[in-house]
């Protein structure tokens, strides 16, 4: 801090010199500084000494440090910026709901990955390769025929085999109407076959063909008596497709026990289908409408005990709600 002391001027004379007073009547002699010993002009001014900064000390970890600025005439204390390692960061906890969602997502992802790995292993695993095929539901076919048709599937993992694959391989076997498949791990396959139902025999040359309601030829036989099915007079080629389909539709509606009692079937037109029983009785069926009702009525009439004195020769069910016997 600057001193308020003013500079002083002290004239200095030679040793022993004195000033004369005014009363001496003489004029005071003028003096000028002696260049040899001359008057010494001294000026003093206090100059501030530099202040050495003391290192700031901290009694507590993390407290801010201070440094001093010395300017002309005053000192200032300012807080120093804290260092990075002295800053305490306040961490807020993560919301519980968000933490749960993250954990749930991780669990779901892990389970999905495991399931995908297991499925991939099962689909392509050689441990599940097809080795044996069991067949059920065959009457016209033999199990060996079905197994031979499915031979291309051998060695294929069971998860890769579908009902459609089996059905495509069995298409050449016309006796098969539908099929269902069941895998039996580790290497088995169960095939349930639903065959077409033969409803009549059609004579073709010296042989008789078994046909279903759609006219599909299912098998052949040389002895019609060995098969409990009626013979369609003339065959499909002679009576025409329309008459054949009408007759076959009627036969397909009959119960198995009634069908076994038939001898033959014929049709003069699509509205005049007639059936013959092995006992010689005639069944007038009419057209192919209301087949289910007519079949039930005919079955009931055939169960009525026969009267030896008045045997029934004709069963007319062309009008099923008003059947006639004579």
């Amino acid at each position: 801090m600057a001193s308020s002391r003013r500079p002083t001027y002290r004239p200095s004379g030679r040793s022993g010199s004195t000033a004369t007073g005014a009363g001496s009547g003489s004029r005071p002699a003028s003096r000028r500084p002696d260049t040899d010993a001359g008057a010494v002009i001294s000026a003093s001014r206090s100059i501030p000494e530099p202040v050495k900064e003391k290192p700031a000390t901290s009694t507590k970890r993390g407290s801010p440090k201070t440094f001093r600025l010395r300017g002309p005439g005053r000192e200032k204390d300012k807080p120093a910026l804290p260092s990075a390692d002295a800053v305490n960061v306040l961490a807020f906890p993560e919301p519980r709901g968000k933490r749960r969602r993250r954990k749930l997502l991780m669990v779901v992802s892990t389970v999905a990955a495991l399931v995908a790995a297991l499925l991939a292993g099962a689909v392509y695993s050689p441990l599940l390769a097809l080795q044996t095929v069991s067949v059920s539901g065959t009457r016209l076919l033999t199990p060996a025929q079905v197994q031979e048709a499915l031979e291309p599937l051998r060695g294929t993992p069971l998860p890769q085999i579908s009902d459609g694959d089996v059905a495509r391989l069995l298409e050449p076997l016309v006796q098969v109407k539908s099929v269902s498949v069941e895998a039996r791990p580790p290497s088995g396959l169960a095939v349930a076959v639903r065959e077409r139902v033969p409803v009549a025999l059609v004579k073709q040359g010296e042989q008789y063909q078994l046909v279903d309601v759609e006219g599909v030829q299912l098998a052949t036989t040389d002895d019609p008596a060995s098969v409990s099915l009626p013979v369609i007079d003339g065959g499909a080629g002679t009576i025409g497709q329309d008459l054949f389909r009408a007759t076959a539709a009627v036969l397909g509606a009959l119960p198995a026990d009634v069908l076994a009692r038939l001898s033959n079937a014929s049709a003069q037109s699509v509205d005049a289908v007639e059936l013959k029983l092995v006992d010689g009785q005639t069944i007038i069926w009419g057209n192919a409408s209301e087949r289910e009702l007519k079949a039930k009525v005919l079955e009931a009439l055939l169960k009525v005990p026969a009267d030896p004195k008045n045997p029934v020769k004709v069963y007319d069910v062309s009008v099923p709600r008003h059947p006639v016997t004579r």
Side-chain angles (χ1 to χ4, degrees):
M1 187 173 182
S3 176
S4 60
R5 183 178 178 184
R6 295 184 178 180
T8 57
Y9 300 90
R10 298 193 185 113
S12 60
R14 297 181 183 269
S15 179
S17 63
T18 58
T20 57
S24 62
S26 62
R27 186 178 179 182
S30 61
R31 298 178 181 270
R32 63 179 182 176
D34 191 352
T35 57
D36 294 334
V40 178
I41 302 175
S42 62
S44 63
R45 182 180 181 182
S46 60
I47 300 175
E49 296 180 357
V51 180
K52 295 182 179 180
E53 296 290 342
K54 294 183 180 181
T57 58
S58 175
T59 59
K60 186 177 180 181
R61 181 179 177 86
S63 60
K65 300 177 182 180
T66 60
F67 62 94
R68 293 182 179 180
L69 293 179
R70 179 176 294 278
R74 60 181 304 181
E75 295 178 351
K76 294 183 180 179
D77 291 341
K78 293 185 178 180
L81 295 178
S83 59
D85 58 352
V87 176
N88 294 326
V89 179
L90 182 60
F92 291 94
E94 187 178 11
R96 183 176 299 177
K98 184 177 181 181
R99 185 165 60 249
R100 287 180 178 175
R101 286 194 298 270
R102 186 175 70 252
K103 290 183 178 180
L104 179 61
L105 181 61
M106 292 177 62
V107 171
V108 171
S109 301
T110 303
V111 172
L114 291 176
V115 171
L118 291 176
L119 290 178
V123 170
Y124 299 101
S125 175
L127 299 176
L128 299 177
L130 176 63
Q131 298 296 332
T132 59
V133 177
S134 60
V135 181
S136 62
T138 56
R139 296 181 61 186
L140 302 174
L141 295 171
T142 62
Q145 289 176 296
V146 177
Q147 292 169 352
E148 183 180 358
L150 298 179
E151 189 65 23
L153 294 178
R154 185 176 296 274
T156 304
L158 294 179
Q160 298 185 28
I161 300 175
S162 64
D163 290 5
D165 298 332
V166 175
R168 281 190 293 270
L169 291 175
L170 296 181
E171 281 181 358
L173 303 178
V174 295
Q175 296 86 349
V176 178
K177 186 173 184 179
S178 63
V179 65
S180 61
V181 180
E182 180 184 356
R184 293 181 177 176
S187 59
L189 188 69
V191 179
V193 177
R194 181 187 175 193
E195 292 182 334
R196 293 179 180 272
V197 179
V199 296
L201 292 170
V202 176
K203 186 175 182 180
Q204 295 289 342
E206 298 297 328
Q207 290 185 332
Y208 291 85
Q209 296 179 345
L210 280 74
V211 296
D212 69 347
V213 294
E214 297 176 359
V216 178
Q217 300 177 3
L218 305 178
T220 60
T221 181
D222 297 329
D223 183 12
S226 63
V227 182
S228 299
L229 292 175
V231 177
I232 296 180
D233 293 340
T238 304
I239 66 176
Q241 290 292 332
D242 292 340
L243 296 181
F244 177 81
R245 289 172 182 169
T247 304
V250 171
L251 297 176
L254 295 175
D257 56 342
V258 176
L259 191 64
R261 296 177 60 179
L262 295 181
S263 172
N264 59 67
S266 61
Q268 299 298 322
S269 68
V270 293
D271 296 325
V273 178
E274 290 188 0
L275 308 175
K276 288 285 186 178
L277 297 176
V278 293
D279 296 336
Q281 298 158 313
T282 301
I283 299 172
I284 300 176
W285 188 274
N287 56 31
S289 63
E290 297 184 299
R291 294 191 299 269
E292 290 78 10
L293 179 58
K294 291 178 180 180
K296 291 180 179 179
V297 172
L298 178 60
E299 185 179 16
L301 293 176
L302 292 176
K303 289 181 178 179
V304 176
D307 185 0
K309 296 181 180 180
N310 188 19
V312 177
K313 296 182 179 180
V314 177
Y315 295 93
D316 189 347
V317 293
S318 58
V319 183
R321 291 173 178 79
H322 303 283
V324 176
T325 58
R326 55 181 183 270

